[in-house]
Amino acid sequence: MTNQRFDKSKLPSRHVTEGPSRAPHRSYFYSMGISEEEIHQPWVGVATCWNEAAPCNISLNRQAQAVKGGVKKGGGTPREFTTITVTDGIAMGHEGMRSSLASREAIADTVELTMRGHCYDAIVGLAGCDKSLPGMMMAMVRLNTPSVFIYGGSILPGRLNGKDVTVQDVFEAVGQHQAGNMTDAELEILERIACPSAGACGGQFTANTMACVSEAIGLALMNSSGAPAPYESRDMYGEASGVAVMNLIEKNIRARDIVTLKSLQNAARIVACTGGSTNAALHLPAIAHEAGIDFDLFAVAEIFRDTPYFVDLKPGGQFVSKDLYEAGGVPVVMKELRKAGLMHEDCMTASGRSMGEELDRIQGEADGRVIHPVSAPLTRTGGVVGLKGNLAPEGAIVKVAGMATQEQSFTGPARVFECEEDAFEAVKARQYKEGEVIVIRNEGPAGGPGMREMLSTTAALSGQGMGKKVALITDGRFSGATRGFCVGHVGPEAAHGGPIALLQNGDIITLNAITGELSVDLTDEELAERKANWKGPRQTEYDSGALWKYARLVGGARLGAVTHPGAKEERHVYMDQ
């Protein structure tokens, strides 16, 4: 061994670097300019979701170079590779959104296959968009290697008429334009300035929500998620992450030493107190599944219900991710949670220190503007809550951040649509009434397939000024940028014969985020009779390819819409090969 800090005989890379039988393998490495010393060091996969599809990923390639420098500084050999990303903002509102959630599994699968195929000893994963963050973290936990996650950073806000604007404003402007309240010229001005830089969408939408999760769960270094993507100061966190992973290899601290039930609970706390995306209730169970931990939608919702909401971020609040960073970032938020006894401090983190030790090092305090004191929260319970009832036996989720208490209950007749396109066309034509509950079904993980987000429809409702005058439920998902009484993840989904498949126009639906209820005014006998007469799931056009395969493998939203048995069934752990 060149570096005595590391015992190569216990690392996966020995299978491609050590002994006479690996001479052919080493010949490949020499051809790429790798030195003999580097060959015999630990090998670290530096995985990025870099592509030119959208601003959220465009800076990852640059940031990866800083990570590689840190790995080398720590005595390792970095090997950069990329995987896919489907960016929700561009996939939104059309068939492309069917690929989004499925891409999370593809990201986890392809990172796993690359790591296994090349016998890398550890991973630093860089991701910048909604599904790439959980997908990368899922791969880390699945492989159970020493792992450090780093977010690519948020986009800077645009500026219009003295106010910050984000892509959420553009989606809602479409509704205002359709309603005749915005001219073509005004819409064109907004679309040109809303997204002025590299980085992921700037509010507390799914990407920034999961970025906060990466710190709270312990896989990312403290405060590494905060700086916006254009800031070259991010490179310091990249280098530090590369050094950190080498420390984890030396100490044999693996992803599942970090991701535990307690750390998952810490992660759910950060979602709730920041008014984060409902998609976290899909991704946290999926990450838990990779570790063999029971942590389903109901477990997530229990944490949400017990956590005060005290960070004032868009879409329910006023501020964007850059403002949170300037107010002290996720570490200061977690310090406030700790004051209320809501953080497990004994969890391990990517630094090799415990969460409590990390928080002891943080000097910042709540500014009372972006981060309110936990003792004086915006609302007493979390910004995201779970619902259950005879319409959702396997649960549902709703984001209530920014909603007044009187807005958190709603009863009205159903107006049922068989897919998002039908609902969007009806909303554009105003073929709905105030007081109705709009139902969009057949959009679940299997039924869509792909569990599409409904931002185009919800943004159009908000743009028409109807966001608080109707409610919406779906077995699909909502964007982190959605606001209003919009309930997603209704399970079982329509394709699996859930009660949402049995609804008819005019059925009276009750939604109550205070009591946690989602029910329809039908007896068990009436629901059973409708189920007996149900003609089965709607036929889709996806009879081949990745979406066909995904629809047949994917499970329900309650358990994270996962596609394989998970760690409970594994008999082979990659790191122990």
Side-chain angles (χ1 to χ4, degrees), residues 410-416 435-439 470-473 509-511:
F410 196 104
T411 297
R415 183 174 291 267
V416 182
E436 289 183 328
V437 179
I438 295 172
V439 178
V470 296
L472 194 155
I473 70 170
I509 295 174
T510 296
L511 308 88

Side-chain angles (χ1 to χ4, degrees), residues 389-395 475 489-501 556-558:
N390 70 341
L391 186 48
E394 291 187 0
D475 51 6
H489 305 196
V490 174
E493 63 173 290
H496 293 162
I500 193 172
R558 181 173 69 88

